[in-house]
Amino acid sequence: MSMITATTWVPRGFAAPFPTKYAFDEEEYSRIAKLAKLQLEDAEEDLEEAQEEEKKITESSSSKVEVNGSGKSKQQDDEEIDDDLKEYDLEHYDDDLEDTNGDPVAMFTNTKSMMYYQNDEEDPYITLKDDESEDEDRENLQILATDNLLLAARIEDEVAHLECYVYEDEADNLYVHHDIMLPAIPLAVEWLDFAVGKAAGDSKGNFVAVGTMDPDIELWDLDTVDMMYPSAILGQGAEDLQEDKGASKPKKKKKRSKGPNDAYHTDAVLSLAANRHHRSLLASSSADKTIKLWDLNTTKAAQSYSHHTDKVCALAWHPTESTVLLSGSYDRTVVAKDMRAPASAPPRWGVESDVETVKWDPLDPNYFYISTESGTLHFHDARNAPSKPEQSKPVWTLAAHSEALSAFDVNPFIPGYLATGSVDKTVKLWDITPTGPTQVVSRDLGVGRVFSTVFAPDREVGFRLAVAGSKGAVRVWDTSTNRAIRTAFAAKTADGPLKLDASKEVEERMVALDEDSESDSEEGEDEAEGGADGWESMEE
């Protein structure tokens, strides 16, 4: 099984032209050892709790002694078997060996004391030099100024990882540049242009924040490949690691809190939103019903908010009012909160079902959109806040899909251009006019249930739409090559660099990752759903 739960773009010009390879030195070894120790302690703590629970159940249910046919108890049989196997010492089979000094001997006994060489030229044991292979690797890792990165959170056979694709628009090419292993099922991905953990004078960066079913948020450097652990962690995992730094003797790990608190999340992280004006701020929302505001300079929670009564699943910063955060929840309300006034009661809007996604209109930030589980899209004027959520009056509502409207995006360059995606497996493109929305195209792109629809972030590729979903497929669709889109938006783009010629016939373009290697069974499933290639559509 393969599934993509979230995607996001990286704008052009932020990725390093030649990403560096992960360097495993003494300092990094020490950092990884501490992180691994924390993970081991977590696992041991969970095992102890499970054993204690099992022991209680066993004691309560074993008041009678089980007797076999020979009149011996089961316990006596077990003791006789133990005597027979005693010579093999199986109880200590997995124990670490000890050297002459009493220190444990691991599988790789001299890892910490290994000598590291800056390059193969300095290593006396390497006689075959690989300058040519290094040049080839460097060329393969190169990212051009005209390339976009596309990040996709994937689950494949119960293994979670983040795939970093390079999208070459002119070459119609999409390929995996590198990937990052994740600790749990990823639910939210947000690109950061802030250099986490770097020198204060060099704040420009290319990082990604990943929220998973675990309560911690991991921050990864996208300009370094083959990293083993994140550059930083937001959550209790980071606090535990900070406590262990400089300690001569490891401290006992604090037990994780079960209930919400102000310092970190205690349940799955459902949404992330980077503040593009205050670049060191990251907002996160969780199933623990709270919203956290993180300072990326200190990797600590600067503020915690609890103005929702159920899971908070969607966040969006206001495009111009940089301290206003829009949040949507399973409590069927949306809140526009000014982060500077944590104690004040924020305006609140109500909807008919659980909120799926919220977004501000990038071209008119007085308005915002809400998508819901019922497949409805709401368009609200933020200046008209109701006195009670149930009295909310949207500018218009749209029954966009027959099932949950799981993803949508508003084009930042083309007025009134909207894309929606749903678990009904369709992607729809809309033209928002003063009288309301008009459907332009509806298609099944063969990605299964749609979990992500995101427009490219650069004007040069403003019509490109990335779509992904439950089949683990990624599609980048150049919607400007669609005849219906060209007709609908020709007038709106007539005076800009994205000008469309509606009279010109153009072959449609859509790039898919490893499209030729898709299985026959998947194609058969597509045919059963009404079109193997996904191009049977309704166009108005």
Side-chain angles (χ1 to χ4, degrees):
M1 182 200 76
S2 181
M3 177 187 302
I4 292 178
T5 56
T7 63
T8 191
W9 290 89
V10 176
R12 296 179 176 186
F14 282 90
F18 293 98
T20 59
K21 286 200 171 184
Y22 170 79
F24 188 79
D25 54 17
E26 189 70 23
E27 182 180 353
E28 186 66 4
Y29 174 87
S30 177
R31 188 177 77 92
I32 289 175
K34 290 178 180 178
L35 286 167
K37 177 179 176 294
L38 293 176
Q39 292 180 345
L40 178 61
E41 288 176 348
D42 269 341
E44 288 175 343
E45 187 178 285
D46 292 342
L47 178 61
E48 288 176 3
E49 290 180 356
Q51 288 174 339
E52 289 177 4
E53 190 68 25
E54 183 180 0
K55 184 178 179 181
K56 291 178 182 178
I57 296 174
T58 303
E59 289 175 351
S60 63
S61 61
S62 60
S63 56
K64 295 182 180 180
V65 178
E66 184 181 345
V67 179
N68 61 19
S70 62
K72 295 181 180 180
S73 69
K74 185 176 184 299
Q75 181 178 359
Q76 289 173 325
D77 278 343
D78 291 342
E79 290 176 353
E80 290 179 2
I81 293 173
D82 288 343
D83 290 338
D84 294 336
L85 297 178
K86 188 176 294 183
E87 62 177 294
Y88 299 104
D89 195 21
L90 295 181
E91 292 183 0
H92 303 91
Y93 179 78
D94 289 329
D95 290 356
D96 291 336
L97 299 176
E98 294 186 352
D99 59 18
T100 55
N101 298 322
D103 296 326
V105 179
M107 181 182 295
F108 302 104
T109 57
N110 63 340
T111 301
K112 192 170 182 179
S113 60
M114 288 178 68
M115 182 175 291
Y116 301 98
Y117 296 95
Q118 293 295 327
N119 53 60
D120 293 347
E121 294 290 343
E122 298 178 5
D123 193 336
Y125 295 98
I126 294 182
T127 57
L128 180 63
K129 307 307 177 185
D130 54 356
D131 293 341
E132 293 183 3
S133 62
E134 286 183 0
D135 291 341
E136 185 177 347
D137 289 344
R138 179 177 169 84
E139 184 179 347
N140 290 336
L141 288 175
Q142 184 177 10
I143 300 174
L144 302 178
T146 55
D147 293 340
N148 282 99
L149 289 185
L150 178 61
L151 312 178
R154 181 185 293 275
I155 311 163
E156 189 167 9
D157 297 330
E158 299 183 0
V159 176
H161 52 113
L162 181 74
E163 292 181 333
C164 304
Y165 307 142
V166 170
Y167 173 62
E168 300 174 326
D169 182 64
E170 293 184 1
D172 278 350
N173 191 24
L174 182 69
Y175 65 91
V176 178
H177 186 269
H178 66 282
D179 64 355
I180 298 169
M181 297 299 296
L182 299 175
I185 295 174
L187 303 175
V189 178
E190 181 73 343
W191 173 70
L192 305 173
D193 62 352
F194 184 80
V196 180
K198 300 292 179 70
D202 183 19
S203 61
K204 181 181 178 181
N206 184 28
F207 281 70
V208 62
V210 183
T212 68
M213 292 292 290
D214 289 342
D216 290 338
I217 301 166
E218 294 190 344
L219 307 180
W220 294 84
D221 185 353
L222 293 172
D223 289 338
T224 304
V225 300
D226 299 331
M227 289 187 69
M228 297 176 65
Y229 279 89
S231 302
I233 297 174
L234 307 180
Q236 189 179 13
E239 290 187 358
D240 294 332
L241 181 60
Q242 189 67 30
E243 287 184 2
D244 280 345
K245 284 184 178 179
S248 58
K249 183 178 180 181
K251 298 180 181 179
K252 182 175 176 59
K253 186 178 185 299
K254 293 188 300 184
K255 193 176 183 66
R256 281 192 178 270
S257 171
K258 299 296 182 182
N261 62 72
D262 292 341
Y264 48 81
H265 287 303
T266 58
D267 207 337
V269 177
L270 304 180
S271 182
L272 297 166
N275 193 310
R276 300 305 175 194
H277 298 275
H278 306 287
R279 294 166 44 248
S280 63
L281 295 183
L282 175 70
S284 64
S285 67
S286 169
D288 65 13
K289 307 177 187 178
T290 69
I291 297 169
K292 298 284 189 292
L293 190 61
W294 301 90
D295 182 349
L296 298 180
N297 286 304
T298 63
T299 65
K300 302 288 185 183
Q303 191 61 257
S304 181
Y305 305 88
S306 301
H307 45 258
H308 285 288
T309 59
D310 207 335
K311 300 178 181 68
V312 188
C313 57
L315 296 173
W317 287 103
H318 194 279
T320 56
E321 298 293 332
S322 60
T323 61
V324 176
L325 182 67
L326 196 66
S327 60
S329 168
Y330 287 4
D331 64 11
R332 301 187 176 186
T333 68
V334 169
V335 169
K337 176 74 172 178
D338 191 331
M339 301 287 103
R340 297 170 298 182
S344 64
R348 189 182 300 266
W349 291 263
V351 290
E352 80 291 339
S353 60
D354 293 353
V355 174
E356 290 281 342
T357 311
V358 296
K359 288 186 187 294
W360 294 96
D361 188 328
L363 299 180
D364 190 347
N366 289 318
Y367 298 89
F368 63 87
Y369 297 83
I370 310 169
S371 72
T372 66
E373 189 181 28
S374 67
T376 304
L377 188 68
H378 301 251
F379 185 60
H380 282 273
D381 187 337
R383 297 165 295 187
N384 297 331
S387 56
K388 296 181 180 178
E390 56 270 21
Q391 297 175 350
S392 301
K393 294 182 179 180
V395 178
W396 50 257
T397 59
L398 172 66
H401 292 270
S402 58
E403 297 184 52
L405 206 170
S406 50
F408 75 94
D409 199 14
V410 187
N411 195 292
F413 308 110
I414 304 154
Y417 190 15
L418 177 74
T420 62
S422 169
V423 297
D424 66 10
K425 302 180 181 179
T426 63
V427 173
K428 297 183 180 182
L429 306 180
W430 305 84
D431 181 11
I432 309 300
T433 65
T435 58
T438 301
Q439 180 178 299
V440 182
V441 181
S442 175
R443 286 189 173 163
D444 181 345
L445 298 182
V447 300
R449 288 170 292 169
V450 181
F451 296 144
S452 180
T453 58
V454 189
F455 282 111
D458 298 290
R459 187 176 295 276
E460 297 85 348
V461 285
F463 275 100
R464 312 307 184 265
L465 179 70
V467 181
S470 62
K471 286 187 178 179
V474 179
R475 306 280 189 265
V476 178
W477 182 13
D478 182 358
T479 60
S480 69
T481 60
N482 177 267
R483 177 175 52 83
I485 291 294
R486 297 173 70 81
T487 301
F489 291 97
K492 292 186 177 183
T493 60
D495 298 327
L498 295 174
K499 180 179 179 180
L500 296 177
D501 185 353
S503 63
K504 185 178 179 181
E505 290 295 328
V506 179
E507 183 179 356
E508 290 208 33
R509 299 170 59 203
M510 185 171 67
V511 183
L513 185 68
D514 294 332
E515 188 172 19
D516 295 335
S517 64
E518 290 180 3
S519 66
D520 293 336
S521 61
E522 182 175 305
E523 292 178 1
E525 185 179 347
D526 284 335
E527 290 175 354
E529 292 168 358
D533 56 6
W535 292 98
E536 293 299 325
S537 65
M538 295 188 305
E539 297 186 1
E540 298 179 3

